[in-house]
Amino acid sequence: MNKREFLGALGVAAVAPWGAAHAAAGVTDGEILLGQSLDLSGPLAEMAPDIVNASKACFDAVNAQGGIHGRRIRMLTEDDGYKPENTVNNLRKMLGQDGVFALFNLTGTANVAAALPLLAQESPAVPLITPFTGADLVRAPGLDHVFNLRASYGDEVDKLVQHLTTIGVPRIAVLWVNNAFGKDGLAGVRKAMDKRGQKLHADAPVQADSSDVAQAVAALVAADPTAIILITAGAPTVSFIKAYRKHSRGARFYTLSVMGTQATLRALGEDGVGVVVASVVPFPWSQSLPLAREYRTALQAAGFGQHVSFIGLEAYMNARLVVEGLKRAGRDLTRPRFLQALESLRHYDLGGFELDYGKGVRQGSRFVDLTIIGKGERFTR
């Protein structure tokens, strides 16, 4: 810990004596228990290994050095199949039977929406750190116990629309998954288009299980768009692109950051070449960025060296944020102290990538970049 971080930690301890009055659920003399509910078996299942492996790699490295103030971090993972009701059931178990200290990496917009009332019922509220959703429901207005790292879906689609309108693409369509995530993204595209005096050419919904992908393909093939923005994740993304390519190769595809896994690249194969993907974290294969090098080194040490991805780097950054918050909260760890510690992270350098929180500020980054899928199932810049 450098001098600035040391003083920051002292500041947290000095201004948060009230936190010590609360019982520290999930904290023992030797352990801190964190919980995450992910889709291990449903349409987003290909994201889960990268999330779990990267988080584990970070925590394993910390534990090997003695943990946080003598406590090891243990991560409890439950499968929700991308079903909100399963997420709620998982969290009830984690908060009741398992007694987790905090939650992180919760995946899915509808899943997070279903979980928020449950977390708020606890006193103090259960920290939810870095959920894998860019939806506004955890951003506007901000919630004291929810810390976001990634940019919002609004930020992502604005970047995509800015790019498309700048290069003069005439007919922009949207494929959106028929749930809270898709509706939020569709609204974001319309807003970004309106801001630039443009109108959406066409749109079509698709179910999360891809059961009606043929209908979505038919609707958009008939509309003959020049570009299609996909507000989808997992199975519908792959199914739609492959099916659409069989009918027409005239449109170019633009997807959100949830596409950033090696499993998705493998599933798309040659049909993925030319697909543009938004990213909310830096290029994981960068040789010049210290954060990217650290991430790859940690994966290699943990035996996951072949699983480098954007989603994995995001999960690693999420874990790094949790670790720093736990360090700054001190040995007398409580949920309020932890939240105040995270709030103290002003202009925090993760290794060439800055996060910035503060009083009432729960959005750490607004970074969005664009990458493209090249031949050989590789992302290129």
Side-chain angles (χ1 to χ4, degrees):
M1 179 181 288
N2 61 36
K3 181 178 180 182
R4 179 184 172 194
E5 292 169 335
F6 175 71
L7 291 175
L10 286 181
V12 169
V15 300
W18 49 273
H22 297 287
V27 178
T28 67
D29 285 344
E31 181 180 273
I32 302 167
L33 180 61
L34 304 175
Q36 58 182 358
S37 181
L38 306 175
D39 179 7
L40 305 179
S41 59
L44 301 188
E46 79 280 355
M47 291 173 57
D50 288 3
I51 294 172
V52 173
N53 293 343
S55 302
K56 185 177 187 301
C58 179
F59 294 149
D60 282 355
V62 171
N63 289 339
Q65 297 297 316
I68 307 293
H69 302 297
R71 296 184 177 106
R72 294 173 57 84
I73 300 174
R74 181 161 68 91
M75 184 172 61
L76 177 63
T77 303
E78 298 283 358
D79 178 24
D80 57 41
Y82 198 46
K83 296 179 179 178
E85 61 272 22
N86 291 349
T87 300
V88 172
N89 289 336
N90 287 345
L91 298 192
R92 285 202 175 108
K93 174 181 176 291
M94 288 182 184
L95 297 175
Q97 177 181 324
D98 302 311
V100 300
F101 172 70
L103 297 162
F104 86 124
N105 285 350
L106 202 63
T107 302
T109 298
N111 306 66
V112 173
L116 288 176
L118 180 63
L119 305 187
Q121 286 174 10
E122 298 287 314
S123 183
V126 181
L128 173 57
I129 313 303
T130 60
F132 271 91
T133 176
D136 285 343
L137 64 93
V138 289
R139 289 172 170 79
L143 302 171
D144 283 346
H145 62 291
V146 181
F147 278 75
N148 300 289
L149 189 151
R150 59 163 36 233
S152 71
Y153 292 140
D155 293 328
E156 290 190 53
V157 298
D158 190 77
K159 180 76 171 184
L160 291 172
V161 170
Q162 178 191 48
H163 170 74
L164 290 168
T165 55
T166 298
I167 64 176
V169 173
R171 299 185 304 280
I172 302 172
V174 172
L175 175 76
W176 51 281
V177 65
N178 195 6
N179 60 19
F181 160 54
K183 292 172 184 176
D184 188 83
L186 176 63
V189 174
R190 292 191 188 280
K191 180 179 178 181
M193 297 284 287
D194 289 344
K195 185 168 75 172
R196 294 168 174 84
Q198 304 285 328
K199 293 296 180 185
L200 195 60
H201 177 65
D203 73 272
V206 65
Q207 296 301 316
D209 63 2
S210 305
S211 58
D212 59 349
V213 72
Q215 295 169 247
V217 168
L220 291 184
V221 166
D224 190 28
T226 310
I228 303 174
I229 297 174
L230 282 75
I231 313 296
T232 56
T237 308
V238 175
S239 299
F240 178 84
I241 291 175
K242 282 185 166 294
Y244 196 95
R245 295 281 203 204
K246 292 178 181 178
H247 291 274
S248 172
R249 303 193 75 87
R252 192 165 188 177
F253 302 108
Y254 293 78
T255 76
L256 299 186
S257 56
V258 288
M259 262 281 290
T261 68
Q262 296 303 115
T264 304
L265 292 192
R266 289 192 293 272
L268 281 171
E270 287 300 308
D271 286 321
V273 175
V275 174
V276 176
V277 183
S279 60
V280 294
V281 298
F283 197 66
W285 297 271
S286 170
Q287 296 300 320
S288 60
L289 188 72
L291 171 63
R293 295 199 305 268
E294 176 190 320
Y295 160 62
R296 296 195 304 272
T297 299
L299 280 190
Q300 191 70 39
F304 307 127
Q306 301 303 310
H307 299 278
V308 177
S309 69
F310 286 99
I311 292 293
L313 177 55
E314 183 177 349
Y316 185 81
M317 293 164 66
N318 292 349
R320 279 280 310 275
L321 176 64
V322 169
V323 166
E324 185 62 26
L326 292 173
K327 285 180 180 178
R328 294 194 181 201
R331 176 70 185 176
D332 187 13
L333 180 61
T334 65
R335 287 169 175 168
R337 283 182 181 272
F338 179 51
L339 294 176
Q340 282 203 312
L342 291 171
E343 195 173 67
S344 77
L345 293 172
R346 299 301 314 276
H347 307 293
Y348 177 62
D349 184 7
L350 270 179
F353 188 90
E354 184 177 278
L355 300 178
D356 193 15
Y357 298 99
K359 189 69 175 177
V361 179
R362 297 295 185 264
Q363 182 68 47
S365 168
R366 302 294 294 273
F367 173 87
V368 181
D369 198 6
L370 301 181
T371 59
I372 190 168
I373 300 176
K375 291 185 178 297
E377 300 173 2
R378 296 170 63 91
F379 287 102
T380 61
R381 302 179 77 175

